[in-house]
Amino acid sequence: MRIPETIKTYGLILVIIVASFWFASRFIEPPPPNRITMAAGSAQGDYYRYALAYKKELAKDGVTVEIIETAGSFENIELLSSGKADAGFIQSGIVSISGEDNTERTAEDTDETTGMHSDAAVLESLGSLYYEPLWIFSRDANTTDEDIQNLTGKKIAVGSKGSGTKALALELLNINHINDPEHFIEIGGAEAVTDIQSAKVDTAIFVGRAESKNIQTLLKNQSLSLMGFARADGYTDILPYVSKVTLHEGAIDMADNIPNQDVTLLSPVAQLVTHDRFN
C-alpha cells in the first residue's frame, strides 16, 4: 500500500512532537513555581520572621510567597501533608525527614503522651536554619542546676497546642517520669511570659533563639532562674535530634553580666521543609 508523501511528512512530525513531549516529561524538570505557600508559626515567632525574609528575597525573582500563620510545627506538618502548603518550618525531631537517618527521632506515641508526631508523610529538608534552644524558666531560685524532677507537682507552661515546644517539653518531662497532665498548662509565647512573671505558673518552657523578645525578657528578670542541663550528654544520647549548646557568661548583657555563669542548654534546630510533590 502506497502512503502519500504528505501523510508521511505529517506523521513523522507527529512522532517527533510526541517523542519530544515524552522526553520532556521524563527528563526535563518543570519550571519553578511563581507562587509558594509557606506555613510559618505565630506572627510573633521566629518562624514567621524567617518567612517574611524569604518572601522579601523571593519577590526579587518574581516569586510570590503566601504566608500562613499557624500554631507551630504540628500544624505546619499537617498543611504540608495535605498539600495546602508548599514549604514550612518545623522543629527537628517532630517528624522523620526524607534522606536523614533519624528513625529514632519520631516517637510512636501521640502528642497526648510524649508530644511527638507519628506522621507518615514524606517530607524533604531544604536545610537546617539555626539552633533554637530549649529554655526552662522557674520562679524557684534553686533550679539552676537541672532539678527537672523537682518540677513534679508544679504548674508548668508547656507550650501551646500544636507547637514544637509542647512536643519537646512533654518528651523531656516524660523521660524524667513527670506525668502530671493536670499541672501542664497549654500556653506558650507571650502568654506564658506574662503568666510566669505574674506567678500564675511556677515554670515555663520555651523553644526559640536567644535573641527573641520573650527569651530576652525572661533572662533579664531577676526573680526568675534559668535551668541548665548538667546531664546534657545523656539527654543527647536519648534524644538524638537535640544538641548540647552553651550560653556563655555575659552573652546576653555584658554590662549586667547576664547570665552570670555559663549555662548548658539543649537545642533542636529549625528546619525548612517541603513535601515530595513540590518542584
Side-chain angles (χ1 to χ4, degrees):
M1 183 176 65
R2 183 174 180 275
I3 300 175
E5 290 299 322
T6 53
I7 295 179
K8 289 182 180 179
T9 301
Y10 285 115
L12 179 60
I13 292 173
L14 181 59
V15 169
I16 293 173
I17 291 173
V18 171
S20 298
F21 275 110
W22 178 86
F23 182 85
S25 67
R26 292 292 301 275
F27 301 107
I28 300 177
E29 291 291 333
N34 57 15
R35 184 178 184 84
I36 297 173
T37 302
M38 186 171 288
S42 71
Q44 293 76 39
D46 288 329
Y47 290 173
Y48 201 92
R49 282 190 285 273
Y50 266 78
L52 289 173
Y54 277 108
K55 180 176 183 176
K56 181 179 179 180
E57 286 301 313
L58 290 172
K60 298 176 182 178
D61 295 322
V63 179
T64 300
V65 176
E66 177 188 353
I67 300 175
I68 304 175
E69 183 177 358
T70 69
S73 292
F74 280 87
E75 186 176 352
N76 292 353
I77 290 169
E78 291 172 0
L79 291 171
L80 287 164
S81 299
S82 65
K84 294 179 181 178
D86 302 310
F89 301 90
I90 69 170
Q91 181 181 299
S92 62
I94 299 299
V95 69
S96 293
I97 304 297
S98 175
E100 293 187 359
D101 182 17
N102 60 355
T103 53
E104 295 181 78
R105 299 185 183 187
T106 306
E108 294 180 355
D109 301 316
T110 66
D111 65 325
E112 295 302 320
T113 52
T114 64
M116 304 306 289
H117 197 279
S118 55
D119 197 285
V122 178
L123 300 181
E124 298 177 353
S125 175
L126 299 179
S128 296
L129 302 177
Y130 55 85
Y131 284 113
E132 44 180 0
L134 174 77
W135 308 84
I136 302 180
F137 291 96
S138 176
R139 298 191 62 82
D140 184 350
N142 298 317
T143 61
T144 55
D145 292 324
E146 197 219 319
D147 297 317
I148 290 181
Q149 293 177 348
N150 291 342
L151 297 180
T152 301
K154 303 287 187 180
K155 293 179 66 176
I156 306 172
V158 295
S160 59
K161 184 177 181 179
S163 68
T165 298
K166 181 188 173 187
L168 183 54
L170 294 186
E171 182 77 355
L172 191 70
L173 292 167
N174 183 62
I175 288 172
N176 285 278
H177 296 173
I178 301 175
N179 300 299
D180 303 323
E182 67 274 13
H183 291 108
F184 298 161
I185 313 301
E186 208 174 58
I187 58 172
E191 186 178 4
V193 171
T194 299
D195 279 13
I196 191 170
Q197 288 182 319
S198 61
K200 290 182 179 179
V201 297
D202 303 305
T203 300
I205 301 177
F206 302 85
V207 171
R209 302 176 70 199
E211 297 84 359
S212 72
K213 180 180 178 181
N214 290 335
I215 302 304
Q216 290 279 321
T217 296
L218 297 179
L219 285 170
K220 295 177 181 179
N221 187 325
Q222 296 183 357
S223 67
L224 303 175
S225 60
L226 172 64
M227 183 182 295
F229 291 87
R231 298 181 295 169
D233 291 330
Y235 281 111
T236 58
D237 286 343
I238 299 170
L239 306 173
Y241 51 85
V242 298
S243 300
K244 177 182 176 181
V245 298
T246 302
L247 178 66
H248 293 288
E249 180 178 353
I252 300 302
D253 191 318
M254 279 291 180
D256 292 331
N257 197 34
I258 301 174
N260 60 9
Q261 61 182 358
D262 287 356
V263 182
T264 301
L265 301 173
L266 298 174
S267 181
V269 296
Q271 296 177 301
L272 179 62
V273 303
T274 184
H275 53 73
D276 57 350
R277 300 179 300 276
F278 184 64
N279 293 339

